[in-house]
Amino acid sequence: MDHREYRRRVKQYRAEAKQRFADLREQRRQRRGTTVAERLAARRAERADLSAWRAEIRAAEPRRERRARRKGLRTFRRRRNRWIKLTALGVVAALIAGVLGSWYHTATRPATQDQAAAREHALEVADQVMAEGLVLLENEDGVLPLTDRRVSVFGMSAATPVFGGGGAGGISSVGARSLFAALDDAGVDYHRGVRDVYGNYAETGEASTETYEEPEAGVVDELLPALKGFFVTSPTEMPVGHLPETVLSDAREHSDTAVYAIGRAGMEGRDFTPEDLRPTEDERATLELLDSAFEHVVVLVNSANAMELGFLEEYESIDAALWIGGPGETGMNAVARALIGEVNPSGRLTDTYAYDIGTHPAVPNTGDFEYVDDSGAPTGRYFTHHLEGIYAGYRYFETFVPEEEYEDVVQYPFGHGLSYTEFAWSGAGFETGGDTVSARVEVTNTGDSPGREVVQVYYDAPFTPGGIEKPATVLGGYAKSDPLEPGESQTLTISFDTASMASYDDRDAQAWVLDEGDYEIRLARDVHDTVDSATHDQDERVVIDTDAATGAEITNRFDDARGDLAYLSRSDAEATFPSAPGEDDLRMPDGLLEDDYEFEPDPDASAPVTGADHGLELADLKGAPMDDPRWQDFLDQLTADELVALSGNGGYWSVGIERLGVPATTMYDGPASIRNFIGHWTTVAFPTPVVLASTWNDDLALEVGRAMGAEARSYGVDAVYGPSLDLHRSPLGGRNFEYYSEDPLLTARIGAQYVSGLQSQGTVAVIKHFAGNVQETNRAAMGLYVWTTEQAWRELHLRPFEAAVKDGGAHGAMTAFNRVGTTWAGGSEALLTDVLRGEWGFEGFVITDAGIVGQGRHFDTRQAVDAGNDMILGLLVDLPGDGSYEEELRSYLEQDRAGTLTALRESAHHILYYVLQTNRI
């Protein structure tokens, strides 16, 4: 059967299934007046007919015919289960109505002393994050800090700041501290008339000079903060012509310094375009006006995504720029204090800022790319080619941009950041040649104000044309000094294993390889500003094919995710430079739609024991390792129904089993605040995670985890969906605010510390989105096909997750919507069993991303549990009766009881082990 005939039969069987469902509905309508016995008999006949249909499908040959028929059955099941969705909507509406009374209280104030105490401490930690995460980009002639506290503040991002991002990783902006309120507290005398105009325009669309008062949050805002937290938009600049001339004149008389805020808001489900991250015509017109009217202009960059900031050099009056990211609930306090020098910015950029966003090699292949069939018709399947391979972010710019062109291409290198004080580096020393590489330097504050310095160490590995692909330089380690008073010194030492400089060879060795040759070790202020260097002489080639922590074999797992594509290579950069998909790239590869999960029941397999009575309760296994023999006795006690519920009924909870002492647990969203769509909202909204990474402070990341974990514990939250450990593949990523950096090491270290801190409070970290969720566009549309090399998976996308498991001890993981090649990440045995559990030794549970509102159409429950994905996140509330995923698991039980029970038993083992790591027992 060729592909065209296969598609024709799929269409035929789906049409037959729709008619079959219509006939069934008519038969049920006609039975309404019959007796109960007659209706029960009819229902039994329906089930028998459905079982016969399934048997007929299982017996169909050839394989493509069986698949085509199965698609028809799925169409029938979806139509039959529609009533569940309608009932769910009704139940959700009833629940909302029932809890409105209690919401107001829990949404506006802590309910207990523990919650209040946890919140107070978290606010202190959040303030420190913002204070250390601010990045001073420019500061000509020491304009900052302001010597005269009189300023005029312009820009819609000042009136309506971007406090965070949108989606599950967003925050509630209800009660967030405004810039103007923070300036008031800091004693900054800003021009009220300018503030009135922008404030009134933001609220009413009219640039009125009437006195503006910040509106208090309304009841709807407080009761439904999820709407504000989930849906965010970038501020739209007020046309500068709306600014009255008298107000501008008064502002100029008030001060010779203007502050201008420019902002962009990212969110789940939506990526930026390059144009989105450039200043608009109205923003440029405002800057031109300020440039002509004021002697000094200070720009606040209120964006987690790397914008094009070349305009900072185009206007003569722009003297200073401060990157503030997303400040969260109270971060504007630190911004105000930084403007007057009470806070000295010590943050460093976690991304490369290019003058032209289009120079990032990932940009051409970020967007809306849909496969078409042979006739040119759209297929509803979408893809992204990571043709840059390992050369993302600074790895590209440092490798391929010639030195004589570098300053024209890169405005702010990775790791860039200034200070209000000066630091002298002296006494640099290196230890190389052994199993560990070390660099040390004495940092002295030679300026006039207290501050902190960041020391970065990079390694430049030897590259041979035609050999393993290697960036010209890679971050090897970093350290942040203590707060240093003027004249005070501190010696910082950065060490890392020599083996960590290995590259992954996915062609020949299919393992990590530390090539022989000279490795330059560079002490640097940023990736492009070297202070001192030394050479590590690697005298022999070392192949690392065994995991040092687990002893597991390391080998290629994702060869099928490479595709038939040419990736950027140092050996032939011109011929391999990435370009957007052409007409040939849009044609769907042969067999790509044949991705239904197939399993072959083992006729000789025996079903595991269920429903036994060994007298064990879950508490008996507290502290027991995963391989304790008592686990098998406990698992024998679970029934088939309980196994189905544990895996199929997941969401913001795991189900309890009272008779075995298994408590239900709760799971809330993160990672910037502990939040639930229908629950408590008085937890602290921290600055966005990219601000935390910009602190380059591992200890602070640990403390953030502890503070959020304490809040979670006070609210009875057992697991948090976070941290988010995907990378900033390009500046266009809609969730870059939620992710830490373009660099995997920085992401790994900050993320692992956050995990460790969170779990120290008995709250499990659910690291996400495992793996490759670096594009929001089409990510959930039947699973975005992500094509890249095994080397890129290993060196970039998987490294932060590995650190979260090995160094952070994570007990939870959430899989991504996207596919690794053709395989859905949540159903990838290579990803979840071979790598996560096998190579890294992960012990805990794995849950899918939210398969709701059609997002999970490509989920297959049997594929998930077979691969090592233990639980399906299917609903926002736990409704009575079986959900669609539980029904699918029951269907698999009918088809292959032994195999399905065996997989579900292993999933239950992982889930119950997670429960024991919480405070529930």
Side-chain angles (χ1 to χ4, degrees):
M1 182 189 304
D2 61 20
H3 196 57
R4 188 179 300 274
E5 175 61 17
Y6 170 74
R7 293 200 304 270
R8 188 193 69 77
R9 294 201 185 187
V10 167
K11 185 176 180 180
Q12 171 193 334
Y13 292 138
R14 283 175 171 166
E16 290 175 358
K18 292 175 183 178
Q19 184 59 48
R20 189 167 188 157
F21 178 74
D23 293 343
L24 179 62
R25 288 185 62 185
E26 177 61 22
Q27 293 167 11
R28 289 181 174 178
R29 188 187 66 79
Q30 293 176 3
R31 292 202 300 263
R32 288 175 183 168
T34 61
T35 66
V36 172
E38 288 172 331
R39 290 201 297 273
L40 288 175
R43 288 284 181 158
R44 286 194 293 270
E46 287 175 10
R47 288 195 291 271
D49 182 55
L50 186 59
S51 295
W53 188 9
R54 289 187 178 121
E56 178 184 331
I57 291 173
R58 289 197 298 272
E61 293 291 345
R63 186 177 180 182
R64 279 194 167 186
E65 172 68 17
R66 186 164 64 250
R67 287 179 173 173
R69 289 174 180 253
R70 186 172 290 129
K71 288 183 182 289
L73 175 61
R74 286 188 174 182
T75 298
F76 176 83
R77 285 208 309 257
R78 289 193 188 103
R79 290 181 172 256
R80 184 190 62 180
N81 293 336
R82 279 179 179 173
W83 70 270
I84 296 176
K85 295 180 181 179
L86 294 175
T87 301
L89 289 175
V91 171
V92 170
L95 286 171
I96 291 174
V99 299
L100 279 179
S102 64
W103 256 4
Y104 184 79
H105 179 82
T106 59
T108 56
R109 61 186 65 85
T112 69
Q113 288 185 348
D114 284 346
Q115 291 170 3
R119 175 176 170 80
E120 183 177 355
H121 175 63
L123 284 170
E124 294 174 358
V125 177
D127 184 74
Q128 185 181 353
V129 170
M130 195 67 199
E132 287 198 39
L134 295 169
V135 180
L136 185 61
L137 300 174
E138 300 280 357
N139 196 23
E140 293 183 15
D141 301 324
V143 167
L144 288 179
L146 300 171
T147 54
D148 183 349
R149 296 194 177 193
R150 290 181 299 172
V151 296
S152 296
V153 182
F154 296 81
M156 289 303 295
S157 288
T160 57
V162 177
F163 292 105
I171 62 171
S172 169
S173 59
V174 174
R177 188 76 164 157
S178 75
L179 174 60
F180 293 104
L183 292 173
D184 284 333
D185 286 352
V188 176
D189 180 13
Y190 57 86
H191 189 271
R192 306 284 164 165
V194 176
R195 188 268 184 104
D196 291 339
V197 171
Y198 278 99
N200 287 319
Y201 187 85
E203 187 171 353
T204 67
E206 298 290 333
S208 169
T209 57
E210 295 293 324
T211 300
Y212 173 74
E213 296 291 338
E214 291 183 4
E216 295 183 0
V219 173
V220 174
D221 289 336
E222 291 178 337
L223 296 184
L224 296 173
L227 296 179
K228 280 183 173 283
F230 200 98
F231 298 103
V232 297
T233 57
S234 298
T236 301
E237 189 57 87
M238 180 184 76
V240 71
H242 289 10
L243 185 67
E245 179 61 35
T246 55
V247 173
L248 180 63
S249 176
D250 288 346
R252 180 63 187 85
E253 289 295 321
H254 179 75
S255 172
D256 65 358
T257 302
V259 172
Y260 179 70
I262 184 170
R264 296 294 185 270
M267 71 170 291
E268 178 178 351
R270 183 185 68 206
D271 292 312
F272 289 99
T273 67
E275 192 62 31
D276 294 332
L277 296 174
R278 295 167 180 145
T280 66
E281 290 184 8
D282 285 325
E283 288 167 340
R284 281 193 170 276
T286 303
L287 286 165
E288 289 172 6
L289 179 66
L290 299 181
D291 184 48
S292 63
F294 291 88
E295 185 175 348
H296 306 291
V297 177
V298 176
V299 175
L300 301 181
V301 182
N302 181 203
S303 171
N305 291 71
M307 298 180 63
E308 289 186 5
L309 299 179
F311 68 86
L312 296 177
E313 302 170 6
E314 296 174 19
Y315 301 101
E316 186 176 350
S317 293
I318 295 181
D319 296 319
L322 185 67
W323 179 88
I324 69 173
E329 184 176 338
T330 62
M332 283 301 186
N333 292 335
V335 174
R337 300 201 312 275
L339 291 176
I340 62 174
E342 291 181 3
V343 163
N344 187 349
S346 61
R348 300 293 183 267
L349 292 177
T350 69
D351 296 294
T352 303
Y353 278 60
Y355 285 103
D356 179 0
I357 281 174
T359 57
H360 281 266
V363 165
N365 287 283
T366 300
D368 184 10
F369 306 116
E370 182 177 8
Y371 284 124
V372 298
D373 62 17
D374 293 342
S375 67
T379 63
R381 301 297 180 96
Y382 302 86
F383 67 94
T384 177
H385 293 160
H386 290 196
L387 299 184
E388 73 280 2
I390 63 169
Y391 300 108
Y394 74 80
R395 284 166 161 78
Y396 164 75
F397 291 100
E398 299 299 319
T399 305
F400 292 96
V401 178
E403 183 61 34
E404 62 271 17
E405 300 175 14
Y406 188 88
E407 290 188 359
D408 295 327
V409 175
V410 176
Q411 184 175 12
Y412 300 118
F414 173 84
H416 169 78
L418 305 177
S419 174
Y420 293 156
T421 191
E422 298 292 331
F423 292 96
W425 292 19
S426 61
F430 300 86
E431 292 184 11
T432 63
D435 294 335
T436 301
V437 172
S438 294
R440 70 180 181 278
V441 67
E442 184 180 62
V443 175
T444 303
N445 184 346
T446 59
D448 299 324
S449 59
R452 305 185 73 163
E453 177 70 304
V454 175
V455 175
Q456 303 163 40
V457 177
Y458 296 84
Y459 63 86
D460 304 352
F463 170 73
T464 303
I468 305 170
E469 293 294 334
K470 297 175 187 176
T473 193
V474 174
L475 180 67
Y478 59 87
K480 191 166 191 174
S481 74
D482 297 332
L484 300 178
E485 295 292 330
E488 189 176 2
S489 300
Q490 182 181 3
T491 297
L492 299 176
T493 301
I494 297 96
S495 302
F496 50 89
D497 293 339
T498 304
S500 69
M501 297 190 292
S503 301
Y504 193 84
D505 179 6
D506 59 12
R507 294 178 302 176
D508 300 322
Q510 299 192 11
W512 294 94
V513 174
L514 186 67
D515 278 326
E516 63 181 328
D518 291 340
Y519 291 71
E520 185 179 8
I521 312 300
R522 300 188 297 114
L523 273 166
R525 298 182 188 272
D526 63 46
V527 71
H528 205 70
D529 184 2
T530 300
V531 174
D532 206 340
S533 65
T535 299
H536 166 76
D537 179 15
Q538 181 64 32
D539 57 8
E540 63 177 356
R541 182 174 184 265
V542 177
V543 176
I544 305 168
D545 56 9
T546 302
D547 189 283
T550 65
E553 179 190 17
I554 299 172
T555 188
N556 281 14
R557 311 285 186 185
F558 310 107
D559 283 335
D560 59 339
R562 187 183 188 97
D564 187 17
L565 300 168
Y567 293 89
L568 180 59
S569 172
R570 287 178 73 174
S571 298
D572 193 353
E574 184 175 352
T576 59
F577 192 84
S579 60
E583 185 175 344
D584 291 342
D585 298 307
L586 297 177
R587 183 186 174 280
M588 175 170 282
D590 292 337
L592 207 65
L593 284 178
E594 301 174 27
D595 52 22
D596 285 352
Y597 179 65
E598 288 284 342
F599 69 95
E600 295 293 336
D602 182 354
D604 299 323
S606 300
V609 174
T610 56
D613 183 5
H614 294 305
L616 287 172
E617 291 195 351
L618 188 59
D620 296 329
L621 289 162
K622 184 72 173 179
M626 286 283 284
D627 59 357
D628 189 302
R630 292 176 297 164
W631 270 111
Q632 301 310 313
D633 289 337
F634 183 85
L635 295 171
D636 285 347
Q637 299 177 130
L638 295 168
T639 67
D641 287 341
E642 290 163 347
L643 289 168
V644 167
L646 279 170
S647 286
N649 182 18
Y652 290 83
W653 62 87
S654 67
V655 300
I657 305 171
E658 185 176 353
R659 69 181 187 87
L660 297 177
V662 178
T665 70
T666 61
M667 307 178 197
Y668 275 25
D669 272 313
S673 66
I674 310 298
R675 50 171 283 180
N676 196 338
F677 284 103
I678 39 181
H680 298 290
W681 280 84
T682 52
T683 54
V684 170
F686 279 73
T688 49
V690 67
V691 176
L692 173 59
S694 299
T695 68
W696 292 61
N697 187 335
D698 294 355
D699 292 337
L700 185 53
L702 178 69
E703 192 55 39
V704 170
R706 287 173 177 161
M708 293 184 71
E711 285 200 291
R713 186 184 63 220
S714 74
Y715 281 101
V717 177
D718 302 299
V720 171
Y721 293 150
S724 300
L725 297 175
D726 296 293
L727 301 180
H728 299 174
R729 177 184 168 231
S730 86
L732 307 183
R735 288 177 100 161
N736 281 9
F737 72 93
E738 187 179 333
Y739 304 155
Y740 292 125
S741 171
E742 69 183 26
D743 180 73
L745 176 67
L746 181 59
T747 299
R749 285 179 50 168
I750 296 292
Q753 289 299 305
Y754 173 92
V755 168
S756 181
L758 188 75
Q759 294 194 160
S760 71
Q761 305 300 306
T763 301
V764 166
V766 183
I767 55 179
K768 64 177 187 178
H769 306 83
F770 192 55
N773 191 119
V774 293
Q775 173 176 307
E776 290 300 296
T777 305
N778 300 320
R779 73 185 182 116
M782 291 301 291
L784 182 73
Y785 292 80
V786 175
W787 302 99
T788 193
T789 66
E790 176 105 13
Q791 184 182 12
W793 282 113
R794 295 280 187 171
E795 294 188 13
L796 300 182
H797 302 293
L798 298 185
R799 190 173 183 184
F801 293 94
E802 181 178 7
V805 171
K806 292 181 177 179
D807 301 330
H811 291 303
M814 175 182 285
T815 54
F817 283 124
N818 58 266
R819 300 170 187 263
V820 180
T822 63
T823 306
W824 164 46
S828 171
E829 184 175 354
L831 186 67
L832 304 179
T833 297
D834 296 341
V835 172
L836 179 64
R837 299 188 191 279
E839 289 187 23
W840 301 346
F842 174 76
E843 293 183 335
F845 85 112
V846 178
I847 187 172
T848 68
D849 205 339
I852 58 178
V853 198
Q855 294 182 141
R857 289 183 297 152
H858 61 299
F859 290 9
D860 186 294
T861 54
R862 175 64 189 268
Q863 180 187 19
V865 294
D866 274 351
N869 192 332
D870 308 303
M871 188 184 295
I872 311 293
L873 199 169
L875 293 171
L876 295 179
V877 292
D878 190 3
L879 300 175
D882 283 353
S884 59
Y885 293 117
E886 289 170 283
E887 286 197 348
E888 187 173 64
L889 284 171
R890 293 190 190 283
S891 173
Y892 275 121
L893 279 174
E894 293 181 14
Q895 299 175 57
D896 178 23
R897 184 173 181 82
T900 304
L901 283 178
T902 299
L904 288 174
R905 179 186 173 100
E906 188 63 19
S907 291
H909 191 181
H910 301 150
I911 294 167
L912 297 175
Y913 184 80
Y914 139 72
V915 174
L916 287 172
Q917 311 313 309
T918 71
N919 294 315
R920 290 289 172 177
I921 296 180

